[in-house]
Amino acid sequence: MSAGAARRYVAAALSRCRARGPPLWELAPARGLRPLGAGGAAAALPLLLPPRRHLSSRNRPEGKVLETVGVFEAPKQHGKYETGQLFLHSVFGYRGIVLFPWQARLYDRDVASPVTEKSENATGHGSKEVKGKTHTYYQVLIDARDCPHISQRSQTEAVTFLANHDDSRALYAIPGLDYVSHEDILPYSSTDQVPIQHELFERFLMYDQTKVPPFVARDTLCAWQEKNHPWLELSDVHRETTENIRVTVIPFYMGMREAQNSHVYWWRYCIRLENLDSEVVQLRERHWRIFSLSGTLETVRGRGVVGREPVLSKEQPAFQYSSHVSLQASSGHMWGTFRFERPDGSHFDVRIPPFSLESNKDEKTPPSGLHW
């Protein structure tokens, strides 16, 4: 389901609930659905979605009633969401469920950190020193029914692994597994015992009506998290805004392979582009600089990203994708720019915040698949 569609569906709920008192949610077009106020103790609102078979506007019969799939809850201003929390993604609009949280270091170049703050530094080329703050992210499952409707704005195969054999370029992906920041979680509850459709849902979670939330981790989820921890955990998140376009980068170390009598180190990186303004812009080019500890500096230029030139608008303000990079050294750095085009044909460059490519000290055998 698209973020624009999500706003329309919740708008319908809002129109029905205004008589009950101040609404818990308001619509902020540039950022999707956002919570209203700090506590939000007002009446909870129903989360309404259309019947899946009627998503196409061309064949949607008139007068169809929206399906109620749950009830919105007040977002947590402090603390974290627990395993089993159902949510709607505030930017991409998909339904999901929290598997477990990660604690990351967020290096936000838009926020000046106090000098006295006890934190770590992020090294960057030609960039100011930035202090890292602890921030909560979540490993989540995306509802498979929503994946086709967000595929143009968010890759649903955000997690990839090196295959466990000699071909160093072989990768496999886990569809519908994503990383979500705490502020992007719009929590809701449901009485459905299987509210999320994903092949891993019933492997990882089970229903327990005595718990809140009523979906608890199975032993298989705990074992999977422990086994794949080195390739799942995010440690650093980098963020910077230029001309109202915010770029967020999350790098992940994937492991080392031997190729032609040398070691090749692999990383994946997830990038989210967000238009914080109302002006429509389109990504046209990318320009990367990749520095390796071996002393090499590589320049990469190309059209768009992952074969696309996404448009960021008020209705669809964000785009997310993942890619991969390899070095013949155990560490390095990446930075660069994205070139965007305005409706009048003018261009401007958006900075990609510099981020480190660091290998894990304790090298382990990469996972070979989802088997127990």
Side-chain angles (χ1 to χ4, degrees), residues 110-130:
D110 303 328
V111 178
S113 301
V115 176
T116 57
E117 183 181 48
K118 184 180 180 180
S119 55
E120 298 184 34
N121 297 336
T123 303
H125 289 264
S127 179
K128 60 186 179 182
E129 183 179 80
V130 180

Side-chain angles (χ1 to χ4, degrees), residues 345-366:
S346 62
H347 294 83
F348 64 98
D349 289 335
V350 171
R351 291 185 297 275
I352 304 171
F355 57 96
S356 298
L357 302 172
E358 300 291 345
S359 60
N360 291 356
K361 294 181 179 179
D362 298 324
E363 191 67 38
K364 299 180 181 179
T365 303

Side-chain angles (χ1 to χ4, degrees), residues 52-66:
R52 288 287 122 181
R53 61 182 180 277
H54 301 305
L55 273 175
S56 173
S57 59
R58 291 181 299 176
N59 60 16
R60 184 187 302 143
E62 294 296 329
K64 283 293 179 183
V65 178
L66 301 180

Side-chain angles (χ1 to χ4, degrees), residues 7-322:
R7 287 193 293 272
R8 290 195 296 273
Y9 305 145
V10 176
L14 282 172
S15 66
R16 298 175 185 178
C17 297
R18 291 195 187 280
R20 304 177 188 174
L24 176 60
W25 305 96
E26 66 177 0
L27 303 182
R31 287 281 299 137
L33 297 167
R34 303 304 298 168
L36 174 64
L45 297 181
L47 171 57
L48 302 176
L49 297 178
R52 288 287 122 181
R53 61 182 180 277
H54 301 305
L55 273 175
S56 173
S57 59
R58 291 181 299 176
N59 60 16
R60 184 187 302 143
E62 294 296 329
K64 283 293 179 183
V65 178
L66 301 180
E67 292 180 332
T68 301
V69 299
V71 177
F72 276 125
E73 300 173 343
K76 289 189 175 182
Q77 304 301 316
H78 306 285
K80 64 188 179 201
Y81 297 103
E82 301 298 329
T83 295
Q85 175 64 60
L86 294 167
F87 71 93
L88 186 72
H89 195 294
S90 68
V91 175
F92 296 116
Y94 65 71
R95 289 166 291 175
I97 191 166
V98 170
L99 294 181
F100 42 79
W102 296 117
Q103 291 300 309
R105 291 188 302 275
L106 173 61
Y107 298 100
D108 193 341
R109 285 163 175 78
D110 303 328
V111 178
S113 301
V115 176
T116 57
E117 183 181 48
K118 184 180 180 180
S119 55
E120 298 184 34
N121 297 336
T123 303
H125 289 264
S127 179
K128 60 186 179 182
E129 183 179 80
V130 180
K131 301 293 184 179
K133 289 186 176 182
T134 300
H135 194 72
T136 303
Y137 276 73
Y138 300 94
Q139 195 93 63
V140 307
L141 290 182
I142 301 174
D143 195 308
R145 294 167 293 184
D146 295 339
C147 289
H149 310 290
I150 63 171
S151 61
Q152 293 302 310
R153 292 170 293 109
S154 176
Q155 286 186 344
T156 56
E157 293 84 2
V159 175
T160 52
F161 294 103
L162 285 173
N164 193 15
H165 52 71
D166 294 336
D167 184 355
S168 63
R169 290 184 177 273
L171 300 171
Y172 72 85
I174 304 177
L177 194 64
D178 199 6
Y179 296 87
V180 180
S181 178
H182 182 83
E183 63 267 22
D184 288 335
I185 298 284
L186 299 181
Y188 73 92
S189 59
S190 172
T191 57
D192 190 346
Q193 294 189 18
V194 187
I196 300 295
Q197 290 189 11
H198 191 287
E199 62 178 343
L200 296 178
F201 179 83
E202 292 186 271
R203 276 186 171 183
F204 283 168
L205 300 161
M206 60 183 174
Y207 182 78
D208 184 345
Q209 63 180 356
T210 66
K211 303 293 185 180
V212 180
F215 306 99
V216 297
R218 294 182 183 271
D219 291 342
T220 49
L221 175 59
C222 301
W224 183 76
Q225 179 185 5
E226 178 64 25
K227 176 183 177 182
N228 299 319
H229 185 277
W231 297 272
L232 289 174
E233 183 176 15
L234 70 167
S235 57
D236 295 342
V237 178
H238 302 266
R239 192 159 68 192
E240 185 169 4
T241 303
T242 309
E243 300 278 348
N244 288 315
I245 304 298
R246 183 161 66 189
V247 181
T248 303
V249 184
I250 308 177
F252 300 87
Y253 177 59
M254 297 177 64
M256 181 269 291
R257 285 286 181 272
E258 292 187 10
Q260 299 178 348
N261 297 323
S262 64
H263 291 168
V264 179
Y265 298 82
W266 284 83
W267 291 263
R268 74 179 182 275
Y269 53 91
C270 180
I271 291 186
R272 179 162 134 182
L273 306 168
E274 293 178 85
N275 185 358
L276 305 180
D277 198 2
S278 59
E279 182 181 48
V280 178
V281 296
Q282 184 170 12
L283 191 154
R284 291 299 192 185
E285 300 176 10
R286 68 187 186 278
H287 177 202
W288 282 106
R289 306 273 281 180
I290 307 169
F291 174 77
S292 171
L293 189 62
S294 62
T296 61
L297 179 61
E298 182 181 2
T299 298
V300 178
R301 291 182 180 270
R303 296 286 295 181
V305 291
V306 292
R308 302 182 188 178
E309 296 180 23
V311 175
L312 304 183
S313 64
K314 186 176 179 180
E315 292 72 29
Q316 297 186 357
F319 179 80
Q320 178 176 296
Y321 75 96
S322 295

